[in-house]
Amino acid sequence: MKIWYALLILLTPFYLFAQNNLGPRLTAMGNNGAAVTDVWAIAANPAALCGLKTSTFSLSYTKHLFSNELSTQSFAGAIPFKNNTIGFGLQRYGFSEYNQNSAAFAYAKKFGQFIFLALKINYHQLKISNYGTTSGVSVDAGAIYQLNHQFTIGAFVNNPAKQQYNTKQILTEIPSSFNLGLSYAASQQLLIAATADKTLQQPVSISIGLDYKMFELLSLRGGLSAQPFKQYAGFGLNYRKFWLDMATVYHPQLGYSPQIALSYAL
Amino acid sequence: MRFKYLLIYIFIFIALQAKAQSLEEAQIRDILESVAENLPDDYDLSELIEVLGQLKKHPINLNNTNPEELKAILFLTPLQISNFFAYLKENERLIDVLELQSIDAFDTKTVESLLPFVTVNESSAYEKLSFRNLNNFGNHDVLLRAARTLEKQKGYTDLPGNRYLGTPEKIQTRYRYQFETILSVALTVDKDAGETLMGKPVDFYSGNVAIFKLGRIQKLIVGDYALQFGQGLTLWSGFSFGKGPDITGVVKKDLGLRPYNSANEYSFFRGLSATINLFKNITITPFISYRKLDASQQLDSLGNLVQATINQTGLHRTPSEIENKNTLTQQAYGTVIQYSKNDFSFGAIGYQNKFSQPFITQTALYDKDSFTGKSLTNIGLYGNYTYRNIYFFGEAAKSLNSGSAYLGGALISLSPQVSAAILYRNYAPNYHNFFNQAISEATEATNEKGLYAGLNITPNKKWIFSFYGDYFKFPWLKYRINGPSDGYEILSQAVYSPKKTLRFLARFKTENKLQNNDLNTALDVLDQVKREGYRVEINWQLNKTWSFENRIEFSQFKKGNSSSEFGRLIYQDVNYQPPFSKISANMRLAYFNTPSYNSRIYAYEDDVLYSFAFGLYNGKGFRSYFNIKYSLGKKLNFWARYGLFIYQETTTIGTYLDEIQGNKKSEIKIQMRYQF
């Protein structure tokens, strides 16, 4: 059976799965977060980390239901101090014979009240048993501009220098993408966000989603994306400093990918 | 001084009315264009605005009303209605209509639009009821309409065999009588183009007498009536809304029993029905109907007459159509029980259809699950419940001895600026129902599963954004889809109105489905079919007399690996409506170019009052129409319409019996309305 998973992963364009995991909150909002403050902004737009008021850590696990063995595990953390925030992230995707790992470190800084900028360095590693290991480094940059207390614009470029793995023998690439996002805080309870994402050699993907804090305890989320068409839903439970978030993606061909995360904000 | 105030008041009133009308009209336009693909040509949608016309004359008394009455106002959402009754329960009664603004989910725009249709003044119409008053205070309304295509169509020539036996005129006459809100009488007579009146006075007639609010009897109708309950899955006759830019439209507002006032010849009941208040909060609506339908019948192996389908067009033009007329009798009877209390309402439906001859299985494989037999029993449960700012709704239905269907969803007012709708549906391929109008992607609400999610955002008074996405699956085969399939649809729209006299609209819609490929392979392979539409529209008012609308629309069609084809439409509308003038007019000049029928474009067209038209722009050429209205006093109005298509690069228009030699197709229409 394992050969099938390997084939599936190798033959299907990998961006379908190995996309940066954005954590269950941003995933449930349609996998869009170029202009949303969240600890997982480390993967969506590190400049948005500046919106965090306290140090936050989150651990997430994603299951890809078309296979029993395939999963994504990730960790995100952010520590704000004065006008700066540092963020770090770890991600592991794959199964025993095939692994894609990455580690990221980000530095974000507030310039005045409305402008946040960030730089991020990623270390990628690809491990295929019996074939060996290869690695690569890439650099990302992000910016946030707060128009007013309701509207925020965000831009994030992923690997603009098109850096790749050291080995030329593999086809897998470190993707380069450009993201432009807008978020709208319609009320204290409601956040709506949209992102346009252009990954090189792919059509522009647009996604939209919302996060609705029904009670202090419970938030409901949902989203949609076009090209590829996917539906997203999720919820978050908040108890004091702890958050338990769940999300699922529905892809017409690949089915559901549920995700769970536990977060702690100091 | 007094006179001055009076004038100001009149101006405000006119402005409000005009606004309400435009909101209403814009909404109807949107809805019409979005359902155009699934409606037959010439579908009579007059019932949509007729109700509002009546309400303007006899406003709803907000202190003595029920949800059903308010549901008739198109632009009110179920959540607003529910909030209104919650408010009424708390405050007992409204002192002023403007109090509505303090109710959750009622924005200023809605309240302004609502003003012409509601009041808070008490007056029991029955106190005034007397024979003399029936004559003095009742309203009579007579409408005559005639239309025809000027060019000769092939069906009217001396063909051997199938041809149109009648004349090309389409004639419709309607009469309405209304006494306050308690009594109405209606009669509609109709002859379609090509129908002959030889040996009979009319081709189609429909009428009813209805009484309202008579003690425990809330409604009583003798004659033709419509029944609309729940979300339309079990029992809904006549027109119903589908997916559109207004996302709240996916939630159906059921009006229960209502007089049938349309010229459509298929989906209604004929007989007797009443809605009776049994106990507090419980109403019962029993009904019985007996009518004849058109069907093409054949003999089965035992020599009995059978049919596979019902002909729903109501056209009786050719010898075979005339032969099929009224061949099948349909008897329907049943009951609806409904319990409603404040923010909760729940109903149960049970009814049976009996046909004079049995249905047989249709030949196509995709129709293998279609209804067979002589009798069909349908049952269903529906309900809705409002919790805080969430309106839940749902319906479950079953056709006895065959499949079931259900749907459920919620309408959520997330904040004063944002509302969201979500709806899940699951209709079995063998769910049978002759009065099923539930929301669906396909024309009929069977053999479909889907999840719909939509969002309306109005960040301020100038902007409105709408989005929806719908993912659907057809578990069994469909026409031209020889395999289980799925697809999705996405719409996004932005409307910007910087001032009252200026409005911009941009819309993008994409739809992806599967369809048999065009190669004649032994095994059908399904191809991706993508249809996209891009629209930009500007409405602007030069002054009180002149207003304009411009639209550019592109359509894209792509099937499988073949290259995309692009269609385009551009038009200019001019509207002339001087205040206090007897004459008003409007016209359109359009250029269209679509490579094939696949990239056709639909656009709403202005027409004479109570007549709705959506233009189908297909091929290459020009389109123009001109409408004029002339008022002779308050009571007597005249309308005339001339429409013209000039196609390029073609020598014939239309197909089969509708074929016209040449490249021009023109239509005239005249209408008269007399109210007394």
Side-chain angles (χ1 to χ4, degrees):
Chain A
M1 246 348 245
K2 275 173 190 162
I3 185 69
W4 290 110
Y5 302 144
L7 276 176
L8 185 65
I9 289 166
L10 294 172
L11 296 178
T12 323
F14 81 104
Y15 55 85
L16 283 180
F17 320 111
Q19 217 171 23
N20 280 337
N21 177 32
L22 303 189
R25 177 163 171 256
L26 299 182
T27 300
M29 291 173 73
N31 218 24
N32 104 73
V36 182
T37 295
D38 191 279
V39 61
W40 290 96
I42 178 83
N45 181 358
L49 290 173
C50 286
L52 291 175
K53 293 193 177 73
T54 58
S55 295
T56 310
F57 305 93
S58 182
L59 196 60
S60 125
Y61 179 82
T62 308
K63 190 111 186 74
H64 303 280
L65 278 193
F66 64 88
S67 141
N68 282 325
E69 295 191 36
L70 207 55
S71 66
T72 305
Q73 295 120 49
S74 18
F75 169 78
I79 303 169
F81 58 98
K82 287 185 189 167
N83 279 334
N84 313 288
T85 306
I86 54 165
F88 31 89
L90 293 168
Q91 181 172 326
R92 180 185 176 276
Y93 162 75
F95 53 96
S96 48
E97 275 80 19
Y98 178 100
N99 264 306
Q100 255 180 283
N101 303 320
S102 67
F105 175 81
Y107 171 68
K109 187 173 169 59
K110 281 186 191 173
F111 292 85
Q113 232 182 317
F114 308 112
I115 297 176
F116 312 156
L117 298 175
L119 264 182
K120 180 184 163 199
I121 298 176
N122 304 284
Y123 173 75
H124 308 264
Q125 186 191 52
L126 180 65
K127 223 195 275 181
I128 306 174
S129 62
N130 302 329
Y131 284 86
T133 306
T134 181
S135 60
V137 173
S138 68
V139 179
D140 309 340
I144 288 279
Y145 178 59
Q146 291 190 322
L147 278 175
N148 52 38
H149 64 283
Q150 283 194 311
F151 289 94
T152 303
I153 298 173
F156 176 52
V157 285
N158 217 334
N159 189 21
K162 298 186 194 169
Q163 279 138 327
Q164 294 306 338
Y165 287 108
N166 297 329
T167 322
K168 292 273 181 293
Q169 278 129 329
I170 54 155
L171 286 170
T172 309
E173 292 181 342
I174 299 171
S176 295
S177 71
F178 304 88
N179 302 272
L180 197 62
L182 175 74
S183 73
Y184 167 52
S187 72
Q188 295 282 346
Q189 282 87 42
L190 181 65
L191 179 74
I192 300 172
T195 299
D197 168 0
K198 169 67 186 168
T199 303
L200 288 186
Q201 276 117 43
Q202 301 299 328
V204 177
S205 169
I206 306 241
S207 47
I208 180 166
L210 58 87
D211 178 2
Y212 177 53
K213 192 185 273 183
M214 221 178 143
F215 310 103
E216 209 41 56
L217 187 74
L218 173 72
S219 296
L220 297 177
R221 297 159 194 150
L224 276 179
S225 70
Q227 286 186 334
F229 180 78
K230 290 193 250 179
Q231 292 163 312
Y232 308 80
F235 64 87
L237 294 170
N238 176 218
Y239 180 71
R240 293 190 181 169
K241 289 178 173 180
F242 288 96
W243 275 96
L244 177 73
D245 294 294
M246 285 200 73
T248 186
V249 182
Y250 178 74
H251 185 289
Q253 274 75 46
L254 299 171
Y256 293 95
S257 315
Q259 178 178 165
I260 185 166
L262 191 65
S263 313
Y264 178 73
L266 280 176
Chain B
M1 271 311 273
R2 263 210 171 154
F3 183 69
K4 198 174 145 197
Y5 282 119
L6 187 70
L7 265 188
I8 290 170
Y9 173 76
I10 288 171
F11 277 121
I12 291 171
F13 188 71
I14 287 170
L16 285 177
Q17 283 219 332
K19 213 172 162 201
Q21 214 169 351
S22 62
L23 186 71
E24 195 67 23
E25 264 169 25
Q27 199 162 21
I28 291 175
R29 267 169 184 240
D30 278 349
I31 290 160
L32 271 187
E33 277 170 350
S34 55
V35 298
E37 274 173 78
N38 293 332
L39 282 180
D41 285 357
D42 283 344
Y43 195 90
D44 180 12
L45 289 159
S46 52
E47 51 177 322
L48 278 186
I49 60 159
E50 222 189 288
V51 179
L52 289 159
Q54 288 296 347
L55 285 179
K56 248 184 215 172
K57 275 188 206 152
H58 308 287
I60 294 172
N61 177 3
L62 289 176
N63 285 320
N64 178 21
T65 183
N66 53 50
E68 251 166 39
E69 250 182 1
L70 290 185
K71 280 177 193 165
I73 300 172
L74 285 175
F75 51 82
L76 281 188
T77 70
L79 194 62
Q80 285 168 333
I81 295 172
S82 176
N83 285 353
F84 168 77
F85 284 101
Y87 180 88
L88 204 61
K89 196 191 157 211
E90 228 169 78
N91 298 279
E92 292 203 348
R93 51 179 288 117
L94 292 176
I95 294 159
D96 192 291
V97 181
L98 291 174
E99 227 178 305
L100 285 170
Q101 287 180 49
S102 59
I103 303 177
D104 272 358
F106 277 82
D107 50 87
T108 355
K109 213 170 174 179
T110 311
V111 177
E112 276 175 12
S113 316
L114 199 57
L115 286 178
F117 309 116
V118 295
T119 172
V120 288
N121 297 324
E122 291 277 359
S123 90
S124 169
Y126 279 98
E127 286 168 14
K128 287 198 259 170
L129 189 62
S130 72
F131 188 73
R132 224 179 97 209
N133 282 348
L134 277 185
N135 212 2
N136 290 348
F137 292 109
N139 288 305
H140 302 265
D141 182 344
V142 182
L143 190 119
L144 298 168
R145 183 191 302 155
R148 69 162 286 177
T149 301
L150 294 177
E151 287 75 20
K152 191 159 207 169
Q153 290 170 307
K154 199 175 169 188
Y156 298 103
T157 56
D158 218 357
L159 290 175
N162 238 11
R163 68 184 183 93
Y164 298 151
L165 297 178
T167 55
E169 285 81 24
K170 178 175 168 58
I171 299 167
Q172 208 187 92
T173 310
R174 347 168 314 171
Y175 166 74
R176 303 274 183 276
Y177 171 79
Q178 178 95 21
F179 177 74
E180 298 289 330
T181 55
I182 59 165
L183 173 70
S184 77
V185 178
L187 182 70
T188 305
V189 177
D190 176 82
K191 169 204 170 309
D192 291 317
E195 288 179 343
T196 173
L197 295 180
M198 296 272 270
K200 59 190 171 187
V202 292
D203 182 80
F204 173 74
Y205 63 90
S206 171
N208 55 61
V209 176
I211 297 169
F212 304 91
K213 299 180 190 168
L214 181 65
R216 277 181 178 274
I217 300 174
Q218 289 183 356
K219 304 173 201 173
L220 171 74
I221 301 178
V222 183
D224 294 346
Y225 56 90
L227 294 167
Q228 305 184 336
F229 290 97
Q231 294 298 315
L233 201 50
T234 321
L235 180 58
W236 192 289
S237 65
F239 179 75
S240 90
F241 296 136
K243 294 182 275 186
D246 174 27
I247 58 134
T248 58
V250 295
V251 189
K252 292 210 190 324
K253 292 184 285 179
D254 52 347
L255 296 170
L257 169 68
R258 13 178 344 205
Y260 185 75
N261 288 335
S262 164
N264 297 309
E265 301 181 25
Y266 173 64
S267 188
F268 64 90
F269 296 93
R270 178 163 283 178
L272 180 69
S273 180
T275 296
I276 301 155
N277 203 339
L278 270 193
F279 306 103
K280 205 185 162 206
N281 303 329
I282 297 181
T283 60
I284 180 168
T285 308
F287 67 95
I288 182 155
S289 161
Y290 179 87
R291 58 173 299 219
K292 291 191 162 144
L293 300 169
D294 305 343
S296 165
Q297 296 182 319
Q298 68 210 61
L299 292 173
D300 68 358
S301 56
L302 298 168
N304 299 319
L305 274 175
V306 292
Q307 70 278 327
T309 55
I310 298 172
N311 176 6
Q312 305 186 5
T313 63
L315 297 170
H316 312 109
R317 306 164 302 184
T318 64
S320 62
E321 281 173 354
I322 292 169
E323 192 193 329
N324 293 337
K325 189 183 175 186
N326 292 344
T327 45
L328 181 68
T329 59
Q330 177 190 38
Q331 225 185 89
Y333 54 87
T335 290
V336 182
I337 296 181
Q338 184 167 311
Y339 172 85
S340 353
K341 194 176 177 188
N342 305 332
D343 40 19
F344 175 73
S345 135
F346 178 80
I349 306 169
Y351 69 101
Q352 191 171 44
N353 281 290
K354 276 192 172 157
F355 296 94
S356 53
Q357 286 90 29
F359 283 81
I360 52 164
T361 315
Q362 296 177 43
T363 42
L365 186 61
Y366 62 82
D367 269 334
K368 82 164 177 61
D369 279 324
S370 64
F371 170 68
T372 57
K374 270 177 93 163
S375 134
L376 174 66
T377 306
N378 286 100
I379 52 170
L381 294 173
Y382 64 89
N384 60 64
Y385 172 62
T386 309
Y387 172 73
R388 286 166 40 140
N389 51 345
I390 310 178
Y391 178 87
F392 295 97
F393 59 94
E395 181 163 356
K398 181 156 177 53
S399 48
L400 289 195
N401 304 322
S402 51
S404 57
Y406 59 90
L407 68 85
L411 192 66
I412 312 159
S413 165
L414 292 167
S415 85
Q417 293 84 29
V418 183
S419 52
I422 185 158
L423 181 141
Y424 175 76
R425 57 193 190 273
N426 189 339
Y427 314 139
N430 61 342
Y431 172 62
H432 302 144
N433 188 323
F434 287 92
F435 298 98
N436 170 6
Q437 290 283 340
I439 189 135
S440 61
E441 167 63 22
T443 319
E444 280 178 52
T446 65
N447 182 26
E448 185 171 319
K449 289 179 189 179
L451 180 66
Y452 170 102
L455 202 58
N456 264 5
I457 309 172
T458 44
N460 53 45
K461 275 188 177 171
K462 289 178 181 169
W463 287 95
I464 305 173
F465 298 94
S466 316
F467 308 92
Y468 75 73
D470 187 31
Y471 172 67
F472 42 83
K473 259 185 176 164
F474 307 126
W476 185 244
L477 322 187
K478 293 186 80 68
Y479 174 62
R480 292 178 71 193
I481 313 177
N482 287 351
S485 64
D486 68 345
Y488 66 89
E489 182 182 287
I490 294 174
L491 179 140
S492 58
Q493 177 178 291
V495 178
Y496 174 57
S497 357
K499 47 188 178 180
K500 272 185 184 168
T501 52
L502 185 60
R503 176 179 178 263
F504 296 92
L505 180 148
R507 180 187 296 175
F508 168 70
K509 188 180 170 181
T510 178
E511 188 184 81
N512 285 259
K513 282 182 177 178
L514 294 172
Q515 204 179 64
N516 295 347
N517 69 3
D518 294 332
L519 306 167
N520 279 324
T521 44
L523 202 65
D524 282 312
V525 180
L526 298 184
D527 265 348
Q528 263 316 324
V529 170
K530 182 166 95 173
R531 265 201 190 90
E532 288 190 342
Y534 306 81
R535 173 187 298 182
V536 182
E537 191 184 288
I538 306 168
N539 279 286
W540 52 289
Q541 221 172 315
L542 184 67
N543 51 38
K544 283 196 172 127
T545 307
W546 295 93
S547 58
F548 303 88
E549 181 180 310
N550 305 64
R551 180 187 290 184
I552 300 177
E553 181 153 350
F554 291 94
S555 64
Q556 186 192 352
F557 177 86
K558 183 172 163 49
K559 184 168 181 176
N561 293 322
S562 52
S563 53
S564 294
E565 63 171 73
F566 290 92
R568 47 201 178 274
L569 165 71
I570 175 164
Y571 71 64
Q572 168 77 60
D573 279 5
V574 179
N575 206 352
Y576 170 75
Q577 200 157 17
F580 309 112
S581 167
K582 286 180 175 175
I583 293 181
S584 61
N586 62 61
M587 65 160 294
R588 168 173 300 176
L589 190 62
Y591 171 75
F592 56 96
N593 187 345
T594 72
S596 80
Y597 188 69
N598 288 325
S599 48
R600 67 194 178 273
I601 297 172
Y602 293 94
Y604 178 90
E605 292 190 347
D606 286 308
D607 207 317
V608 301
L609 182 76
Y610 291 150
S611 183
F612 287 95
F614 42 82
L616 165 57
Y617 295 81
N618 173 32
K620 183 180 174 186
F622 292 92
R623 164 70 166 163
S624 182
Y625 64 75
F626 183 75
N627 289 309
I628 185 160
K629 180 189 172 188
Y630 180 73
S631 308
L632 201 72
K634 256 190 162 179
K635 294 176 169 178
L636 193 57
N637 295 295
F638 295 94
W639 290 262
R641 182 179 208 265
Y642 175 76
L644 172 70
F645 274 107
I646 299 176
Y647 292 91
Q648 294 172 327
E649 295 163 18
T650 183
T651 50
T652 61
I653 303 168
T655 53
Y656 193 47
L657 291 179
D658 289 330
E659 189 179 291
I660 293 170
Q661 291 297 323
N663 67 344
K664 258 173 70 177
K665 186 181 181 185
S666 52
E667 193 203 43
I668 51 162
K669 193 181 273 185
I670 47 168
Q671 177 169 294
M672 188 204 85
R673 185 189 195 195
Y674 182 48
Q675 292 165 282
F676 55 102

